[in-house]
Amino acid sequence: MSEIKRYNNSLNLSHVVEAQQFDRETILNNLFPLVDRMKANVAKGARKKALRGYQVISWFEESSTRTAASFALAVDWLGGKIVYSTENAKTFSSRAKGESIEDTIRILSECYHADIVVGRFANNGDAVAAASVAVGKTFIVNAGDGDNQHPTQALLDMYTIHEKFERLDNLTIGLVGDLANGRTVKSLAYLCGKFEGIKLYLVSPEQCKLDQGVKDYLNKHHVFYEEADDLRPVAQELDVLYVTRPQLERDTKLTEADMEPGRFSVDQTVLAELPDEAIILHPLPRTWELPTFVDIDLRACYFEQAENGLYMRMALLKMISHSLPKR
Ligand code: CP
């Protein structure tokens, strides 16, 4: 039996609600080999049956391109069905009438027996709230909750970093941009706490610093971090430059003027300082902080990163399928 098959069969996953729930061994020994396998399956055009007979609901209260589409495609590659999909659940579901997330999930779970609910929630903490009321064998996948967390994004970010460096220890990572309002950086920071010797540069304008709660977690898990207000002096130390956009939809206090080129946005100076072997990531979508001229730079990996989202979500859904009742 191959290593991958053995690892794959050893792990059942239920709810995916926050990055901290994943430990180092699960990530490196179970999840990543399975993602490799999903990637190979898609390359071969090999459709699978892990979700055959299972019903998935795609519940998006906020806009999405990558997460919604890649989950839908992942379900399809695994032979499952998205039986109900709402792209604007805040408007078109009874959430618009004030129904709580708890009642919503009780209906989908207790009353309608959905197997998996992939949810992008407008409010922080609603993924945890959803998982706490889901009964029986309905599993919740957090596709982003408010400005709190985006665990599947952070896992695919880590997978992309691991693909490039073949390790997740002893890396220097620059998290740049709107660190107060971006959820991907928070989940990524939590995952950094699972590895050794990671140094984070937190590069943001004063009004958009990373939450103290996340920094407390970094301290507790011995992740060394340094806050900075200019990317240029630290760029030469980075293995990973992780750029994020101002979260304009969350009333961020940032404007284009605040994202001064070089300081908080990628420009030619930053590219000149960044080591040849570094990689540039961005969860996307982007605005002015990552100009399109960067796309031809050999260090730009953000489209590969987005592609890995499909394979990561397939792997997570496959792991969840191990916890579902046999059909
Ligand atoms: N990175 C990400 O979550 O993108 P979407 O908002 O398009 O899903």
Side-chain angles (χ1 to χ4, degrees), residues 60 63-68 120 143 150 153 183-184 245 283-285 313:
F60 276 67
S63 60
S64 171
T65 296
R66 277 146 291 276
T67 315
R120 172 161 287 186
H150 196 348
Q153 175 73 45
R183 55 191 165 210
T184 68
R245 74 187 163 89
L284 302 176
R313 286 161 182 143

Side-chain angles (χ1 to χ4, degrees), residues 304-318:
E304 284 172 66
Q305 178 189 3
E307 180 183 343
N308 285 336
L310 172 63
Y311 315 130
M312 175 56 69
R313 286 161 182 143
M314 287 172 71
L316 291 167
L317 290 170
K318 176 150 176 66

